[in-house]
Amino acid sequence: MSCLFCDIVEGKIPAQIVKKDDHVVVFRDIQPQAPTHVLVVPTKHISTINDLTGQDAAIIGKMVMAAQEVAVAEGIDESGYRMVLNCNKDGGQSVFHIHLHLLGGRTMQWPPG
Ligand code: 5GP
Ligand code: ZN
C-alpha cells in the first residue's frame, strides 16, 4: 500500500526536510498553520496512534525529542509552542502514518477547534 509519508521518508516525494536520522524525519507542513509548522514522522510506518505497541514507546520519545530540538532551532522554545497528535476521524487525522505536529511562532488558542 502506498503511503505519502513513507514516500517522503524514502525521498520519493520532495519535502522541506528540517532534520533526518535513522528514527525520524522532520519536514515543513505543506499548509502551515503557524509561522513554524513541522511534522515529525517516524521512519517506521505506523498508521495511527491506536496501532502503537509497548515496543514503539521509544519511537514516541524520539519524536518528542526531535520536536524539542527543532523548537530550539526555530527559536520558539522560550515563546512556546504546541505539539499535536491527531487520531482518526474525530481527531482530524488525514494522513495515516503517525506524525507529531510542532506549531509555534504565534499564540495558540484553547480549546482547539
Ligand atoms: P493530519 O491532518 O493527518 O493530522 O495532518 C496531516 C498534515 O500533513 C496536514 O497538516 C497537511 O497539511 C500535511 N500534508 C499533507 N500532504 C502533504 C505533503 O505532500 N507534504 C507535506 N509537507 N505536508 C503534507
Ligand atoms: Zn507510511
Side-chain angles (χ1 to χ4, degrees):
M1 250 178 51
S2 72
C3 168
L4 175 63
F5 286 175
C6 280
D7 285 349
I8 288 177
V9 165
E10 291 164 22
K12 294 178 184 164
I13 290 179
Q16 280 188 271
I17 308 280
V18 173
K19 173 184 166 63
K20 191 178 196 317
D21 64 26
D22 288 347
H23 305 286
V24 297
V25 178
V26 186
F27 53 90
R28 298 199 186 279
D29 196 290
I30 205 164
Q31 281 190 292
Q33 302 300 315
T36 291
H37 186 181
V38 300
L39 303 173
V40 183
V41 171
T43 54
K44 177 183 176 182
H45 179 89
I46 300 168
S47 297
T48 80
I49 292 296
N50 291 334
D51 300 306
L52 285 168
T53 70
Q55 290 188 326
D56 298 317
I59 290 178
I60 293 297
K62 289 179 190 304
M63 289 166 67
V64 171
M65 294 312 296
Q68 183 209 59
E69 183 185 316
V70 171
V72 171
E74 296 275 315
I76 57 170
D77 53 320
E78 291 302 325
S79 52
Y81 50 82
R82 185 169 290 173
M83 294 187 193
V84 177
L85 289 164
N86 294 326
C87 185
N88 280 340
K89 181 172 71 67
D90 283 358
Q93 185 175 6
S94 61
V95 178
F96 288 83
H97 177 138
I98 63 168
H99 47 280
L100 179 65
H101 295 256
L102 170 68
L103 300 128
R106 67 169 172 83
T107 302
M108 301 293 153
Q109 305 301 310
W110 194 265

